[in-house]
Amino acid sequence: MAIDNNQGSAPVFNQFASDNYAGICPEAWRAMDEANAGFASSYGDDAWTERACSCIRDVFETDCQVFFVFNGTAANSLALAALCRSYHSVLCHDLAHVETDECGAPEFFSNGTKILHIPGLNGKLDLDAVEHAITRRSDIHYPKPRVLSLTQSTELGTVYTPDEIGAATVLARRHGLRVQMDGARFANAVAALGVSPAETSWKAGVDVLCLGGAKNGMALGEAVVFFNRELADEFEYRCKQAGQLASKMRFISAPWIGMLENGTWLRNAAHANRMAQMLADELVQTPAVRLISPCQANAVFVEMPAATVAALRAAGWHFYSFIGTGGARFMCSWQTTEEDVRALIQAVRLACRT
Ligand SMILES: *Cc1c(COP(=O)(O)O)cnc(C)c1O
């Protein structure tokens, strides 16, 4: 099945592998192009970076402190390192990116802070299990729990409501823990919930948010947003030491202006969510296909017969299948079209018959 999901003369690439397979959205591209006019000061001491920080403060309706880094692994691991000492521990979900996909960077940048993982349905933390992990030991031999890390939207494509975040942060605070949020897909959660960005972050008790740009439509770049400004003390040194201080910072910061000033970030996210919903609605009507977790953001997780997965791959479709042998993750982005979704649905139905 050949579909043209790319602009211009790009080769056909049938993929629902990740939202980071998408290109740069026009608004981010334009902002980068505008920032390319002439000279500007380096290392973030420029007008674009200042404006991008103001955009983030406006969007979150608070005087937060903002840092721009190259990617999500840096954002998460440096933020966690800022909240911990080496003998502390970070509690996160079993499937959390910081645990499974950062090659130990949080432990590395914090000089040994231990990640403790917690179970929970549909990618969300089970708060009883969180409390158990915090309280089961208080002796000097156990790495002292210091941070609760939540992913919004989650690694299984679900979304925490503001109340659920509030319950988690109240529990954390009761035990003296700080709260970090991995928001690689925060935009998708906000778009899905229809609440303000503030309500699903600092108003619900989050201290630090790692706000994703790449999967939302930028080339690269994530923002580390400290709502609790005290925790940002000397964070610029961490960024520099980790090789995360861009000398031509304006090209990381300016695209944020293009994303945030006119609501592109939420439009992109809402579009991706809508594509995923359309896909999920159709796939559940296919007898051999079962949803693994509810589709609440821009991902669809399904279980299919292994032969169906193999037939889809043989037909040239790209997707991840890291949840068991018959499991598949289909991820939508700002660039996914309805035609792409229809083509995949047709390909799945065809593959089911093989
Ligand atoms: C993609 C992703 C990140 C960031 O990954 P990088 O490749 O380091 O940019 C962080 N958290 C989650 C949940 C992600 O899906």
Side-chain angles (χ1 to χ4, degrees), residues 75-86:
N76 281 330
S77 53
L78 295 176
L80 291 172
L83 307 191
C84 287
R85 290 195 174 150
S86 59

Side-chain angles (χ1 to χ4, degrees), residues 74-290:
N76 281 330
S77 53
L78 295 176
L80 291 172
L83 307 191
C84 287
R85 290 195 174 150
S86 59
Y87 49 83
H88 285 145
S89 53
V90 171
L91 277 59
C92 67
H93 192 273
D94 283 331
L95 299 173
H97 198 271
V98 296
E99 159 64 13
T100 66
D101 288 294
E102 298 190 354
C103 199
E107 294 93 329
F108 175 77
F109 283 113
S110 56
N111 296 312
T113 299
K114 192 167 167 61
I115 305 282
L116 302 177
H117 30 114
I118 310 289
L121 270 183
N122 296 327
K124 295 188 191 178
L125 289 164
D126 174 341
L127 294 192
D128 289 337
V130 169
E131 182 145 38
H132 178 68
I134 298 172
T135 58
R136 72 179 157 173
R137 296 267 297 270
S138 60
D139 59 87
I140 201 167
H141 306 281
Y142 187 60
K144 191 171 194 266
R146 187 59 162 138
V147 177
L148 183 63
S149 177
L150 297 152
T151 309
Q152 176 77 320
S153 55
T154 73
E155 283 80 0
L156 283 186
T158 54
V159 171
Y160 286 100
T161 64
D163 283 349
E164 287 173 327
I165 296 165
T169 65
V170 165
L171 170 64
R173 210 137 277 137
R174 178 144 42 88
H175 294 287
L177 275 71
R178 293 148 173 181
V179 180
Q180 180 259 359
M181 179 172 273
D182 175 349
R185 300 190 179 90
F186 184 80
N188 301 91
V190 172
L193 288 165
V195 300
S196 72
E199 279 171 287
T200 182
S201 59
W202 65 273
K203 284 187 181 170
V206 173
D207 293 306
V208 186
L209 169 69
C210 297
L211 179 61
K215 287 168 181 159
N216 190 224
M218 288 171 43
L220 78 166
E222 318 274 299
V224 183
V225 182
F226 285 89
F227 301 115
N228 181 342
R229 295 181 70 107
E230 276 169 34
L231 298 175
D233 187 40
E234 298 187 344
F235 192 74
E236 61 274 25
Y237 289 92
R238 282 186 194 281
C239 292
K240 175 65 194 184
Q241 187 184 48
Q244 291 291 324
L245 178 64
S247 67
K248 290 190 176 181
M249 181 68 88
R250 62 179 148 146
F251 298 108
I252 294 188
S253 57
W256 284 99
I257 301 167
M259 299 301 282
L260 297 175
E261 269 192 353
N262 58 7
T264 301
W265 72 305
L266 293 182
R267 265 196 311 282
N268 280 0
H271 170 82
N273 292 355
R274 198 160 53 244
M275 292 302 101
Q277 197 59 59
M278 177 180 162
L279 181 60
D281 289 349
E282 287 291 329
L283 288 182
V284 291
Q285 292 174 39
T286 307
V289 180
R290 188 182 68 82

Side-chain angles (χ1 to χ4, degrees), residues 1 3 16 274-286 289 300 304 308 312 317 330 337-353:
M1 166 93 26
I3 56 169
F16 280 74
R274 198 160 53 244
M275 292 302 101
Q277 197 59 59
M278 177 180 162
L279 181 60
D281 289 349
E282 287 291 329
L283 288 182
V284 291
Q285 292 174 39
T286 307
V289 180
V300 183
M304 303 183 285
T308 304
L312 270 176
W317 286 89
F330 297 122
T337 64
E338 288 187 15
E339 294 74 58
D340 295 337
V341 174
R342 277 195 287 273
L344 176 61
I345 293 161
Q346 210 175 328
V348 169
R349 292 197 175 136
L350 196 65
C352 283
R353 280 186 240 125

